[in-house]
Structure formats: C-alpha cells, structure tokens
Amino acid sequence: MRIAAAMSGGVDSSVTAYELKKKGHEVIGVTIKTWPKESGELTGERLCCSLEAVQLARSVCEDLDIPFHVIDLSEEFAKEVAGYFMREYEMGRTPNPCIYCNSRIKFGYFLKKARELGAEKIATGHYARVISADGHCYLAEGVDKKKDQSYFLYDIPRETLASIEFPLGGCTKDEVRRIAEAQGFVTAYQPSSQDICFVSEKGDYRGYLHEKGVKAFTPGSILDTEGRVVGEHKGIAGYTVGQRKGLGSALGEPAYVIKIDPANNTIVVGDKEDAMHGKVRIGGINRLTLDKFDRPERLEVKIRYASGKAPAIVTPKGEDEAVVEFEKDQFAPTPGQAAVFYREEIVVGGGWIEEVL
C-alpha cells in the first residue's frame, strides 16, 4: 500500500516512516510547509516546519531510500489555523491550534494532497490508535498514556479514520527513541517540537500576536469577585482562565484568573475555589461514534490535554451543542479549549468549551 508519511523533522515522524517501510508499504515522506512565504527564513528547533526541520526530514528519507516531497499549505494554514488563533485571543478565549491544525491541515488538506500523489493512506507520528471493529474505525488512546495524543485528534472528520495510520500508537516514547538510535537517524535525539509550532523562538505567543496586530493588548482593570479593582492587566490576550502567575494584583493571597471579559476589557480573579466549576456548555461538536446523540450520555471527559478524564453527563442541546455536567467540579474550564469525550479508551467525540455555567 502506498502511504504518505508526514515528516516534521522529529524522531516520531522518522520512526513512523521506518515502521511503515518495515511492514512492506510503499512510503512517501512529506513535509508540510506551513510558514508564510514572507517568513521563509524562519529557523530554530521550536519550529516543526523550519528549514532545519525540512533538512532533517529529507535526511531520514534518504536513509530510508524513500521519496521526499514538500507540500506548501502556508495559505491554508494562515487562513485556517493562524487566523483562528488570533481571532480567539481577540475574543478573550484560549485557542488550541494543535487541534485545529490536525482536523483541517493534517487530516484535511494534507490527505487530499497525498491522494494526488497516489497515496491510499496518510500516517503521522501521533501517539494514538485507529481500531477497526464491526466494520467501523474508532479513534483510541495510545498505549503510552503519558504521551497519548488522542485529545488533539478528536475533531478529525469521522470518515477519514479509515485513511489514517498511527504506527506509534502501540509504542512508548523510549521505544521510539531506541528504534531511531538503532537506525542511526539524525533525528534520534531531536527534542519534541513546541505546541505552538508557528511562533518563532524570538518570543512567546504574545510577541507573535503583537507582531500580527491583534487588538487585545489594551491595558485594563483586574477585578476581584466583588467587582473591586485590585490591579491592572496588560491586555486580555496575555491571560488565560486558570492562570496564577504574572497577574500583578494586590489580593495578598494566591489568585487565579477566573473570567476574561473582552466587552469590558477586564479580568476577574479569585481563589482556587472560585476557579472550580462543574458544568460547561460546548459547541461545534464532532461525533466520532455517537450516531444518535439525542439523549444524555454518561461519559468520561477531558477539558485539557494535561488533565485526567473525569466522569460526566453529556446532554445534547440541538445538533452540535451540549451541556457537560461533571460528577465533581473541575479546575478552570476554559472557553476556547476542547472538551473531549471518552468511553474507556475510545474517543467518542468532543466540542469546544463556549461557556462556564
């Protein structure tokens, strides 16, 4: 089978291509170019699509004796991912560009381009699995729970699961590094890319937003839960719900961001108890297994990548909205982040947190 392997210049994608070839597949190595043309000289290990990354990916493909291509999706990335990233911060939300990139770029545009190259499937180095059973394909957690990336994949179109391979789903990160070392790949000791891959190493995401002219850096008031001014913020784009450090408020005790109000350009802070909530409204639901989502479902839900799964009742409110009510309050549910539903190891679906109730 001809499979196009997404090559980021890292150890995971290198071993992905190796494992596919070892199984006898005809493998095509592909690096997705996502930086805009005017930023074509971006360099540094923080950038998974930098010039160095392309060179590393090309080197591994030469070692494996497989074809290598660079696909330019910079326009699509700017529109679909970078644009979304900036809009969310302007609205006082905290975006998750990795999820957006996966569903729209890697498992959207890249799949289409791969088919133009004659590939039947695409493969990435994600730590997740696609399980076939009963004539259906299901997205499942990776075996290595510490590296599992199924949270970032919940929004991929259901119909594309049959066209995806995750060769590392049954591996641990240590096993992957050992394979890369044994094969002598130049990427064997390459550090993992950063979450926000398109933000250069010259500064954090705030610098990127400043550079792009995002209008969310006007100073404003920091309020306590009683509406009293306790400090001044530097612009709502620099804060996220649940944040504790860098608030500069004068509460005299640890404080957390519990609400961002873009309409009034204010941030509300409180103690940790104020940041605990048990109910959220979500929208833009992607259903991977729920054929009939017309009644409450008891599921496990993750509200951020690093959090554990928590029992909850998910109640549909129309075709693509739902209310998630947790058995126990969760710390800082954040508008703009994803709530991902699980039934044991299977990803049922998920949606974007719109409102804390």
Side-chain angles (χ1 to χ4, degrees), residues 74-105 151-152 154-155 195-196 198 205 208-209 212 214 237 283-284 334-339 351-354:
S74 58
E75 291 185 10
E76 292 85 350
F77 186 88
K79 177 182 177 181
E80 297 281 359
V81 182
Y84 144 82
F85 183 76
M86 292 183 283
R87 290 192 302 272
E88 289 287 281
Y89 273 112
E90 286 184 328
M91 293 189 295
R93 295 157 60 93
T94 302
N96 196 314
C98 293
I99 292 176
Y100 234 70
C101 182
N102 284 330
S103 61
R104 288 152 180 80
I105 304 299
Y151 175 86
F152 295 116
Y154 89 90
D155 199 37
D195 284 348
I196 308 175
F198 53 93
Y205 78 92
Y208 176 86
L209 294 173
K212 297 298 182 182
V214 171
T334 306
Q337 290 292 291
W352 300 102
I353 298 174
E354 301 290 345

Side-chain angles (χ1 to χ4, degrees), residues 10 22 31 53 79 88 96 102 105 128 132 153-155 158-160 166 181 184 186 214 249 298 341 353 357:
K22 189 175 72 171
T31 292
K79 177 182 177 181
E88 289 287 281
N96 196 314
N102 284 330
I105 304 299
S132 297
L153 299 167
Y154 89 90
D155 199 37
R158 179 177 181 177
E159 61 272 15
T160 66
F166 295 128
E181 290 169 5
V186 67
V214 171
S249 58
R298 183 177 295 275
F341 317 148
I353 298 174
L357 302 176

Side-chain angles (χ1 to χ4, degrees), residues 221-225 227-232 247-251 255 267 269:
S221 297
I222 297 178
L223 311 176
D224 66 12
T225 54
R228 296 173 297 214
V229 176
V230 294
E232 182 178 270
L247 300 183
S249 58
L251 289 179
I267 289 173
V269 298

Side-chain angles (χ1 to χ4, degrees), residues 33 35-42 74-75 78 208 211-212:
K33 178 183 175 183
W35 65 85
K37 294 177 181 178
E38 64 270 19
S39 302
E41 298 303 316
L42 286 176
S74 58
E75 291 185 10
Y208 176 86
E211 183 182 308
K212 297 298 182 182

Side-chain angles (χ1 to χ4, degrees), residues 90-247:
E90 286 184 328
M91 293 189 295
R93 295 157 60 93
T94 302
N96 196 314
C98 293
I99 292 176
Y100 234 70
C101 182
N102 284 330
S103 61
R104 288 152 180 80
I105 304 299
K106 291 177 182 172
F107 302 102
Y109 292 109
F110 171 48
L111 176 58
K112 180 180 178 180
K113 293 289 186 180
R115 285 172 172 160
E116 291 175 4
L117 292 172
E120 297 175 56
K121 288 188 174 185
I122 59 173
T124 69
H126 286 98
Y127 288 81
R129 293 173 293 156
V130 174
I131 297 174
S132 297
D134 306 319
H136 299 282
C137 290
Y138 301 93
L139 176 63
E141 295 174 304
V143 169
D144 186 346
K145 301 307 179 190
K146 292 181 180 179
K147 293 295 296 182
D148 169 54
Q149 293 172 302
S150 60
Y151 175 86
F152 295 116
L153 299 167
Y154 89 90
D155 199 37
I156 62 178
R158 179 177 181 177
E159 61 272 15
T160 66
L161 289 176
S163 300
I164 298 171
E165 292 280 336
F166 295 128
L168 307 188
C171 302
T172 66
K173 185 73 174 191
D174 289 341
E175 289 171 341
V176 169
R177 290 231 182 255
R178 286 196 292 270
I179 293 171
E181 290 169 5
Q183 296 305 311
F185 291 150
V186 67
T187 58
Y189 303 103
Q190 190 73 3
S192 298
S193 59
Q194 301 297 307
D195 284 348
I196 308 175
C197 65
F198 53 93
V199 175
S200 78
E201 59 187 356
K202 295 178 182 178
D204 63 6
Y205 78 92
R206 296 172 184 85
Y208 176 86
L209 294 173
H210 265 299
E211 183 182 308
K212 297 298 182 182
V214 171
K215 299 175 181 178
F217 288 99
T218 302
S221 297
I222 297 178
L223 311 176
D224 66 12
T225 54
E226 300 298 322
R228 296 173 297 214
V229 176
V230 294
E232 182 178 270
H233 66 75
K234 299 177 182 178
I236 61 172
Y239 302 84
T240 185
V241 172
Q243 180 177 331
R244 177 179 173 182
K245 295 181 179 179
L247 300 183

